[in-house]
Amino acid sequence: MVKPIIQPLDLIELVKANDVVIIDAGNVVSYGMQHLKGAKHIDLNTDMANVPDNAAKGGRHPLPDPVSFGAVLGRLGIKPHSHVVVYDDKNGALSAARFWWMLKAAGHKNVQVLNGGVTAAAKAGFPLSDLVELSEPAAPYVFTQWQLPQAYIDDVEKAADNSMKIIDVRAAARFRGETEPLDAIAGHIPGAINVPYETNLDADGFFLEPEILAQKYLEVLGDTNTKDVIVHCGSGVTACHALLAIDYAGLPLPRLYVGSWSEWSGRGKTVAVGE
């Protein structure tokens, strides 16, 4: 099984020797201006989520059903044996990590996130393009259920009252309730601890080394079993950045709460502020 993170120079060598499906999960406008040559675009709102009319119904970015996502994968030319590399223009936090988690949850083995994204790959010498890349469609990717651990709002409510840990990866100011740019209510889930996703990266925007990430998350988790850990963010997207870091560190994956703060706050659940 491949490592969850691939370095830019390794991607260049991989493309020379293998048939690789490269996915740009960044902003569609940025994709139209510049992307890695050969990369196909995937959209968070239309391809990776079943966006509701009310965020209280599963959050701002609920997962699509397996049939819908399988059709998207087929459209992108992704087959069960494909080696897939995904990136975005925000060090994996915009949508690349979410796509990585979804593809793994579909049962796919060979999927990696590009360390440093398009900027790092360009600096390493990977050619760029502004042309829309057309893929040769494959048959719909067939899977029947999401295969990675998830938590739902009832699980989170119970977790706040027992020994389970809830990790909130949003920025510290959002966690403390000092600002809220996206959701109607500011604050955090009672009992949650704040581990901002940016702390997975070094000053240059690359993921920290696996050993450093392992030490960091072992300190956060203590003796709590990862099956008793729930990770969330605002809408189940940047939470996947933490899950990617945890996997890169060689630790078992905790549960993803896809609904996240957008669902919790939209349901009128109890809100905490401050540290």
Side-chain angles (χ1 to χ4, degrees):
M1 188 177 296
V2 299
K3 294 179 180 179
I5 301 291
I6 186 169
Q7 309 305 326
L9 288 174
D10 293 332
L11 175 61
I12 291 173
E13 293 303 313
L14 183 68
V15 170
K16 290 179 182 177
N18 297 273
D19 183 15
V20 182
V21 179
I22 302 177
I23 301 296
D24 184 316
N27 183 283
V28 67
V29 175
S30 299
Y31 175 83
M33 295 173 62
Q34 181 174 272
H35 55 265
L36 298 187
K37 186 176 181 180
K40 287 84 174 176
H41 186 261
I42 190 168
D43 184 81
L44 172 62
N45 291 319
T46 60
D47 296 327
M48 288 188 276
N50 182 21
V51 178
D53 55 3
N54 184 344
K57 302 175 182 177
R60 281 183 277 110
H61 293 110
L63 293 172
D65 64 82
V67 172
S68 298
F69 189 58
V72 169
L73 297 179
R75 189 192 78 218
L76 293 170
I78 296 174
K79 304 172 184 177
H81 65 271
S82 297
H83 192 142
V84 181
V85 174
V86 59
Y87 70 89
D88 59 34
D89 49 7
K90 198 179 178 185
N91 303 316
L94 185 62
S95 301
R98 164 76 170 235
F99 181 76
W100 167 85
W101 186 94
M102 290 176 68
L103 199 49
K104 281 184 66 69
H108 199 83
K109 303 299 182 185
N110 292 334
V111 54
Q112 297 177 288
V113 175
L114 176 61
N115 207 5
V118 62
T119 302
K123 287 182 178 178
F126 200 104
L128 300 175
S129 173
D130 60 0
L131 301 176
V132 174
E133 307 285 353
L134 300 177
S135 54
E136 183 176 339
Y141 197 111
V142 178
F143 70 104
T144 57
Q145 61 183 3
W146 301 105
Q147 298 172 32
L148 291 183
Q150 293 186 59
Y152 302 92
I153 193 166
D154 292 342
D155 301 317
V156 178
E157 197 159 31
K158 293 174 184 176
D161 297 325
N162 58 33
S163 59
M164 296 181 71
K165 284 192 174 178
I166 305 171
I167 296 176
D168 184 330
V169 311
R170 296 176 301 157
R174 289 183 70 189
F175 178 84
R176 293 192 297 264
E178 296 167 2
T179 183
E180 181 46 65
L182 298 172
D183 296 305
I185 299 173
H188 62 265
I189 296 170
I193 56 176
N194 188 214
V195 186
Y197 78 87
E198 294 98 329
T199 60
N200 298 323
L201 306 171
D202 65 18
D204 296 318
F206 291 92
F207 276 84
L208 298 171
E209 291 298 321
E211 298 79 9
I212 298 174
L213 289 169
Q215 181 180 4
K216 166 191 166 181
Y217 280 104
L218 286 172
E219 290 176 357
V220 170
L221 299 177
D223 58 0
T224 304
N225 191 302
T226 51
K227 69 181 179 62
D228 294 325
V229 177
I230 297 170
V231 180
H232 78 95
C233 54
S235 68
V237 177
T238 53
C240 295
H241 194 276
L243 297 176
L244 174 62
I246 290 170
D247 192 54
Y248 191 39
L251 303 175
L253 283 179
R255 300 158 74 185
L256 171 64
Y257 174 31
V258 176
S260 287
W261 179 249
S262 53
E263 179 182 49
W264 182 272
S265 59
R267 291 278 192 94
K269 298 292 185 181
T270 303
V271 171
V273 295
E275 296 292 344

